[in-house]
Amino acid sequence: MRIVNLIENTEGRSGCAYAHGLSFYVETKKHKLLVDLGPSEETLRNAEVLGIDLTKVDTVILSHGHYDHSGGILPFSKMNDHARIYMQEAATDAYYADDGRNAPERFRYIGIDKEIAKLPQVQFLCGDIVIDEELELFTIKQRSHDLPFTNKRLLIQTGDGYQRDDFRHEHFLVIREDGKTILTSGCAHNGILSIMDAFMEKYGKAPDLVVSGFHLMKKTDYREDEIKEIEDIARELKNYPTRFVTCHCTGTTAYEVMKDILNEKLDYVHSGDEVRC
């Protein structure tokens, strides 16, 4: 199996753009797939730099309904109109970030381009699906842990105004090959601990590898209680016989805190880097 990061927040492979967003190219025995498509068509240009032919991709997984994971879908669809695009029905809802009272625009739209929903290759889901013996998507039915503190400012717009996002638009990809199981998540908005618990409940054992952002990034300094929460998450993850690769919304500060606890069980992948499977 081959897993290559096509775009991420931090500089990595020479010649690859980096930006706030996420996309992975995954090659299995049966599939060439994309997990998310980053914030823009820069994702496609990075694939070209890396020698990856996106016209041969047969499957696209949109992990959740945010712009920084979906911005490359429309330009991708112009070069590849046959790859099936899987997303939850709720991914098309109106998602916003609360940037605070002092921001020029307090409530900032962070959802997907509505034109994506009109693409004929989109397959909308409402829950779990088994795609084939290699690929499966599952959702969180009930969280076992509280949402990470960084999710408090993420909202959904309804007829009654803005409400806290419940992240029912998020799903998680399970990949099986050669006796190994890989779990991928875009941002783990539901919380990586709840996702791991849901995986264990559904499949009965831990994944061999998890590739995911942990959504622990902050633009301001962390409070003491927030650092403690990050440390507690890392300590619980250490109990799993699993290797974790993180990126994007985890943030470098949170990564360094977690790395001190998880040591060799945690790595960071940068833009254009390949994940060791």
Side-chain angles (χ1 to χ4, degrees), residues 63-77:
S63 64
H64 62 290
H66 287 169
Y67 78 96
D68 53 327
H69 296 251
S70 61
I73 289 180
L74 289 176
F76 167 78
S77 69

PDB file of all heavy atoms in Angstrom, residues 63-77:
ATOM      1  N   SER A  63     -13.948  13.488   3.779  1.00  0.00           N
ATOM      2  CA  SER A  63     -14.059  13.090   5.181  1.00  0.00           C
ATOM      3  C   SER A  63     -15.128  13.868   5.936  1.00  0.00           C
ATOM      4  O   SER A  63     -15.757  13.333   6.850  1.00  0.00           O
ATOM      5  CB  SER A  63     -12.709  13.233   5.893  1.00  0.00           C
ATOM      6  OG  SER A  63     -12.301  14.595   5.933  1.00  0.00           O
ATOM      7  N   HIS A  64     -15.353  15.132   5.564  1.00  0.00           N
ATOM      8  CA  HIS A  64     -16.380  15.951   6.201  1.00  0.00           C
ATOM      9  C   HIS A  64     -16.586  17.217   5.374  1.00  0.00           C
ATOM     10  O   HIS A  64     -15.837  17.477   4.426  1.00  0.00           O
ATOM     11  CB  HIS A  64     -16.018  16.280   7.652  1.00  0.00           C
ATOM     12  CG  HIS A  64     -14.759  17.092   7.816  1.00  0.00           C
ATOM     13  ND1 HIS A  64     -13.501  16.594   7.562  1.00  0.00           N
ATOM     14  CD2 HIS A  64     -14.559  18.377   8.213  1.00  0.00           C
ATOM     15  CE1 HIS A  64     -12.585  17.521   7.788  1.00  0.00           C
ATOM     16  NE2 HIS A  64     -13.207  18.614   8.191  1.00  0.00           N
ATOM     17  N   GLY A  65     -17.579  18.005   5.751  1.00  0.00           N
ATOM     18  CA  GLY A  65     -18.025  19.090   4.891  1.00  0.00           C
ATOM     19  C   GLY A  65     -17.371  20.429   5.091  1.00  0.00           C
ATOM     20  O   GLY A  65     -18.070  21.443   5.227  1.00  0.00           O
ATOM     21  N   HIS A  66     -16.039  20.508   5.075  1.00  0.00           N
ATOM     22  CA  HIS A  66     -15.325  21.770   5.229  1.00  0.00           C
ATOM     23  C   HIS A  66     -14.510  22.083   3.973  1.00  0.00           C
ATOM     24  O   HIS A  66     -14.008  21.184   3.299  1.00  0.00           O
ATOM     25  CB  HIS A  66     -14.403  21.732   6.443  1.00  0.00           C
ATOM     26  CG  HIS A  66     -15.127  21.799   7.753  1.00  0.00           C
ATOM     27  ND1 HIS A  66     -14.512  21.555   8.967  1.00  0.00           N
ATOM     28  CD2 HIS A  66     -16.418  22.099   8.050  1.00  0.00           C
ATOM     29  CE1 HIS A  66     -15.395  21.700   9.949  1.00  0.00           C
ATOM     30  NE2 HIS A  66     -16.554  22.021   9.415  1.00  0.00           N
ATOM     31  N   TYR A  67     -14.355  23.384   3.703  1.00  0.00           N
ATOM     32  CA  TYR A  67     -13.721  23.861   2.472  1.00  0.00           C
ATOM     33  C   TYR A  67     -12.280  23.400   2.323  1.00  0.00           C
ATOM     34  O   TYR A  67     -11.806  23.147   1.195  1.00  0.00           O
ATOM     35  CB  TYR A  67     -13.773  25.397   2.435  1.00  0.00           C
ATOM     36  CG  TYR A  67     -12.729  26.054   3.314  1.00  0.00           C
ATOM     37  CD1 TYR A  67     -11.506  26.483   2.782  1.00  0.00           C
ATOM     38  CD2 TYR A  67     -12.926  26.213   4.688  1.00  0.00           C
ATOM     39  CE1 TYR A  67     -10.532  27.064   3.594  1.00  0.00           C
ATOM     40  CE2 TYR A  67     -11.971  26.785   5.499  1.00  0.00           C
ATOM     41  CZ  TYR A  67     -10.775  27.213   4.949  1.00  0.00           C
ATOM     42  OH  TYR A  67      -9.820  27.768   5.759  1.00  0.00           O
ATOM     43  N   ASP A  68     -11.540  23.302   3.437  1.00  0.00           N
ATOM     44  CA  ASP A  68     -10.114  22.997   3.355  1.00  0.00           C
ATOM     45  C   ASP A  68      -9.837  21.534   3.025  1.00  0.00           C
ATOM     46  O   ASP A  68      -8.676  21.148   2.843  1.00  0.00           O
ATOM     47  CB  ASP A  68      -9.383  23.422   4.633  1.00  0.00           C
ATOM     48  CG  ASP A  68      -9.994  22.869   5.911  1.00  0.00           C
ATOM     49  OD1 ASP A  68     -11.222  22.706   5.955  1.00  0.00           O
ATOM     50  OD2 ASP A  68      -9.243  22.602   6.868  1.00  0.00           O
ATOM     51  N   HIS A  69     -10.894  20.742   2.926  1.00  0.00           N
ATOM     52  CA  HIS A  69     -10.772  19.346   2.505  1.00  0.00           C
ATOM     53  C   HIS A  69     -11.463  19.099   1.168  1.00  0.00           C
ATOM     54  O   HIS A  69     -11.346  18.006   0.613  1.00  0.00           O
ATOM     55  CB  HIS A  69     -11.376  18.421   3.569  1.00  0.00           C
ATOM     56  CG  HIS A  69     -10.642  18.469   4.861  1.00  0.00           C
ATOM     57  ND1 HIS A  69      -9.858  17.434   5.331  1.00  0.00           N
ATOM     58  CD2 HIS A  69     -10.542  19.449   5.796  1.00  0.00           C
ATOM     59  CE1 HIS A  69      -9.325  17.776   6.498  1.00  0.00           C
ATOM     60  NE2 HIS A  69      -9.731  18.995   6.792  1.00  0.00           N
ATOM     61  N   SER A  70     -12.171  20.091   0.673  1.00  0.00           N
ATOM     62  CA  SER A  70     -13.011  19.889  -0.517  1.00  0.00           C
ATOM     63  C   SER A  70     -12.719  20.856  -1.656  1.00  0.00           C
ATOM     64  O   SER A  70     -13.284  20.731  -2.738  1.00  0.00           O
ATOM     65  CB  SER A  70     -14.487  20.046  -0.125  1.00  0.00           C
ATOM     66  OG  SER A  70     -14.737  21.363   0.375  1.00  0.00           O
ATOM     67  N   GLY A  71     -11.825  21.829  -1.446  1.00  0.00           N
ATOM     68  CA  GLY A  71     -11.609  22.873  -2.436  1.00  0.00           C
ATOM     69  C   GLY A  71     -11.086  22.388  -3.775  1.00  0.00           C
ATOM     70  O   GLY A  71     -11.256  23.057  -4.800  1.00  0.00           O
ATOM     71  N   GLY A  72     -10.439  21.223  -3.792  1.00  0.00           N
ATOM     72  CA  GLY A  72      -9.913  20.700  -5.048  1.00  0.00           C
ATOM     73  C   GLY A  72     -10.864  19.784  -5.789  1.00  0.00           C
ATOM     74  O   GLY A  72     -10.542  19.307  -6.890  1.00  0.00           O
ATOM     75  N   ILE A  73     -12.059  19.536  -5.241  1.00  0.00           N
ATOM     76  CA  ILE A  73     -12.966  18.564  -5.864  1.00  0.00           C
ATOM     77  C   ILE A  73     -13.457  19.028  -7.224  1.00  0.00           C
ATOM     78  O   ILE A  73     -13.450  18.251  -8.202  1.00  0.00           O
ATOM     79  CB  ILE A  73     -14.150  18.242  -4.925  1.00  0.00           C
ATOM     80  CG1 ILE A  73     -13.669  17.413  -3.733  1.00  0.00           C
ATOM     81  CG2 ILE A  73     -15.244  17.474  -5.681  1.00  0.00           C
ATOM     82  CD1 ILE A  73     -14.757  17.046  -2.744  1.00  0.00           C
ATOM     83  N   LEU A  74     -13.903  20.270  -7.336  1.00  0.00           N
ATOM     84  CA  LEU A  74     -14.435  20.740  -8.623  1.00  0.00           C
ATOM     85  C   LEU A  74     -13.362  20.744  -9.709  1.00  0.00           C
ATOM     86  O   LEU A  74     -13.619  20.222 -10.812  1.00  0.00           O
ATOM     87  CB  LEU A  74     -15.079  22.111  -8.461  1.00  0.00           C
ATOM     88  CG  LEU A  74     -16.398  22.124  -7.677  1.00  0.00           C
ATOM     89  CD1 LEU A  74     -16.909  23.553  -7.498  1.00  0.00           C
ATOM     90  CD2 LEU A  74     -17.456  21.266  -8.357  1.00  0.00           C
ATOM     91  N   PRO A  75     -12.163  21.281  -9.486  1.00  0.00           N
ATOM     92  CA  PRO A  75     -11.138  21.168 -10.533  1.00  0.00           C
ATOM     93  C   PRO A  75     -10.733  19.724 -10.819  1.00  0.00           C
ATOM     94  O   PRO A  75     -10.455  19.375 -11.975  1.00  0.00           O
ATOM     95  CB  PRO A  75      -9.965  21.995  -9.990  1.00  0.00           C
ATOM     96  CG  PRO A  75     -10.251  22.238  -8.555  1.00  0.00           C
ATOM     97  CD  PRO A  75     -11.724  22.169  -8.402  1.00  0.00           C
ATOM     98  N   PHE A  76     -10.734  18.875  -9.801  1.00  0.00           N
ATOM     99  CA  PHE A  76     -10.449  17.453 -10.024  1.00  0.00           C
ATOM    100  C   PHE A  76     -11.500  16.831 -10.934  1.00  0.00           C
ATOM    101  O   PHE A  76     -11.172  16.042 -11.827  1.00  0.00           O
ATOM    102  CB  PHE A  76     -10.409  16.714  -8.685  1.00  0.00           C
ATOM    103  CG  PHE A  76     -10.421  15.211  -8.814  1.00  0.00           C
ATOM    104  CD1 PHE A  76      -9.277  14.519  -9.147  1.00  0.00           C
ATOM    105  CD2 PHE A  76     -11.593  14.488  -8.612  1.00  0.00           C
ATOM    106  CE1 PHE A  76      -9.292  13.126  -9.282  1.00  0.00           C
ATOM    107  CE2 PHE A  76     -11.619  13.120  -8.738  1.00  0.00           C
ATOM    108  CZ  PHE A  76     -10.461  12.431  -9.083  1.00  0.00           C
ATOM    109  N   SER A  77     -12.767  17.177 -10.737  1.00  0.00           N
ATOM    110  CA  SER A  77     -13.854  16.581 -11.528  1.00  0.00           C
ATOM    111  C   SER A  77     -13.761  16.947 -13.006  1.00  0.00           C
ATOM    112  O   SER A  77     -14.335  16.257 -13.846  1.00  0.00           O
ATOM    113  CB  SER A  77     -15.212  17.004 -10.964  1.00  0.00           C
ATOM    114  OG  SER A  77     -15.454  18.378 -11.189  1.00  0.00           O
TER     115      SER A  77
END
